[in-house]
Amino acid sequence: MDRQSERAVRVAKALADPTRYELLRRIAQAGEINCRDLTTLFEVSQATVSHHLKILTDAGLVRARREGQFHYFSLRPGALGGHAAALARAFPEAPAAVRRGPGRQGRSQ
């Protein structure tokens, strides 16, 4: 598997978890938010939120900025668009004849 495919799989796995998906949505809505504030939004421990944030960061979806004792998280610019583009390249749409399937004729008008 090439590096681009490995990255796409890592992002897909990161987004597959409902808590991480919601964390990413909240981060995107806020623009930038610290871990403590994120913890108050979810019914999981601070350690669990931190673990999920690490996975999102490692997948390249969010970036972290440290200020004093707090870490602030924001959506990495272009990360979701880049992932969408990578998926489109990896799975190009099939020609119309192939999509219709065997034995099925397209409708003529």
Side-chain angles (χ1 to χ4, degrees):
M1 186 179 302
D2 61 46
R3 290 179 80 179
Q4 191 171 33
S5 295
E6 288 174 357
R7 185 175 186 285
V9 169
R10 190 170 55 246
V11 170
K13 285 181 179 180
L15 292 174
D17 181 88
T19 301
R20 286 193 292 270
Y21 182 90
E22 186 62 22
L23 274 168
L24 186 63
R25 201 173 70 74
R26 297 292 182 102
I27 292 167
Q29 286 175 344
E32 184 177 68
I33 190 167
N34 67 43
C35 186
R36 182 187 63 189
D37 291 343
L38 282 169
T39 301
T40 64
L41 299 173
F42 294 88
E43 295 182 12
V44 295
S45 70
Q46 184 274 329
T48 300
V49 169
S50 291
H51 171 74
H52 286 309
L53 289 169
K54 180 177 179 354
I55 291 170
L56 291 170
T57 301
D58 290 348
L61 295 170
V62 298
R63 61 181 171 191
R65 175 179 69 83
R66 185 174 182 154
E67 188 174 302
Q69 65 183 18
F70 298 106
H71 285 85
Y72 291 83
F73 294 88
S74 59
L75 186 63
R76 186 176 293 277
L80 294 175
H83 180 62
L87 287 175
R89 285 189 303 274
F91 302 102
E93 289 192 38
V98 174
R99 284 196 306 261
R100 281 194 296 268
R104 295 180 65 188
Q105 299 297 318
R107 291 183 174 178
S108 59
Q109 297 182 338

